[in-house]
């Protein structure tokens, strides 16, 4: 009867063999396959931060009055017009072409994503029987959480591991964004 090698013996043989393949770290589902070029990452990150701050300011502004359909339009219009202004600014600082417009739109996409869920919360709250104050609070907390996640987003775009310092920097950025939003609400109301 032939004796089969134990698991330990097989592992030791694999480790001592020169032909053993190097281990490749497993990629998590949310990891990028390749890092974004630094210029693309910079523009996308700027759009992410800028869009969230302006939409947060719009949500704070509409929360000062009863929430209506106009409130939803205000939040969406803030996201869309900021998106278009960001594209315009990018195209004006480059050689004009449809390719430039497409790239600017791609890089400005995070501005649009910042307005969709808050607007949906404001729109659906009355339909689902939630108080509008709860919808506003959820929208504001979502936007602050997105701003706090900036460090994590940047690390992901660069395919770097997230560290405690990136998380703390995101929290500090969220606090700064809140100060900016409160200042805007006080000065414009």
């Amino acid at each position: 009867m032939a004796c089969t090698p134990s698991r330990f013996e097989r592992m030791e043989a694999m480790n001592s063999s020169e032909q053993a393949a190097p281990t490749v770290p497993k990629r998590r589902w949310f990891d990028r396959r390749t890092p974004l070029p630094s210029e693309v990452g910079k523009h996308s990150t700027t759009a992410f931060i800028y869009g969230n701050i302006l939409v947060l300011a719009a949500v704070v502004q509409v929360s000062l009055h009863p929430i209506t359909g106009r409130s939803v339009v205000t939040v969406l219009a803030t996201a869309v017009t900021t998106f278009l202004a960001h594209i315009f600014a990018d195209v004006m600082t480059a050689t004009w072409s449809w390719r430039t417009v497409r790239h600017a739109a791609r890089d400005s996409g995070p501005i649009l994503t910042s307005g969709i869920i808050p607007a949906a919360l404001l729109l659906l709250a009355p339909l689902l029987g939630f108080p509008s104050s709860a919808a506003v609070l959820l929208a504001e907390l979502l936007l602050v959480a997105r701003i706090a996640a900036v460090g994590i987003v940047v690390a992901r775009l660069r395919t770097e591991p997230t560290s405690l310092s990136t998380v703390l920097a995101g929290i500090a950025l969220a606090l700064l964004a809140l100060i900016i939003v409160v200042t805007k609400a006080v000065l414009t109301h």
Side-chain angles (χ1 to χ4, degrees):
M1 186 153 95
C3 182
T4 59
S6 70
R7 185 175 138 207
F8 176 75
E9 291 169 332
R10 288 191 309 262
M11 293 294 286
E12 194 170 304
M14 282 177 46
N15 288 338
S16 65
S17 170
E18 292 179 356
Q19 298 175 5
T23 59
V24 176
K26 186 176 178 185
R27 188 175 70 82
R28 297 171 299 195
W29 66 271
F30 54 85
D31 288 340
R32 289 191 55 82
R33 292 176 199 263
T34 58
L36 280 179
S38 63
E39 194 64 25
V40 172
K42 182 177 132 187
H43 285 290
S44 294
T45 304
T46 302
F48 184 84
I49 295 168
Y50 194 62
N52 284 304
I53 290 173
L54 289 178
V55 170
L56 181 57
V59 170
V60 168
Q61 198 66 35
V62 300
S63 71
L64 302 174
H65 308 285
I67 302 300
T68 63
R70 185 175 181 177
S71 306
V72 175
V73 170
T74 299
V75 171
L76 285 175
T78 300
V80 170
T81 57
T82 304
F83 171 74
L84 293 173
H86 209 262
I87 292 172
F88 180 75
D90 281 351
V91 169
M92 290 299 109
T93 60
T95 304
W96 196 96
S97 70
W98 283 112
R99 185 171 187 250
T100 304
V101 174
R102 280 193 314 272
H103 284 241
R106 177 201 60 206
D107 295 346
S108 301
I111 294 171
L112 283 180
T113 64
S114 66
I116 294 170
I117 295 176
L121 286 170
L122 296 177
L123 178 67
L124 295 176
L127 300 175
L128 300 175
F130 290 111
S132 60
S133 60
V136 167
L137 181 62
L138 280 174
E140 291 169 343
L141 290 175
L142 169 74
L143 291 162
V144 169
R146 282 176 57 109
I147 294 166
V150 162
I152 297 166
V153 169
V154 170
R156 181 185 173 274
L157 292 175
R158 294 180 181 166
T159 65
E160 296 172 352
T162 303
S163 66
L164 179 61
S165 64
T166 58
V167 172
L168 293 176
I171 291 170
L173 184 62
L175 290 173
L176 181 61
L178 279 174
I179 291 168
I180 292 168
V181 167
V182 168
T183 303
K184 181 186 184 299
V186 167
L187 293 177
T188 59
H189 183 61

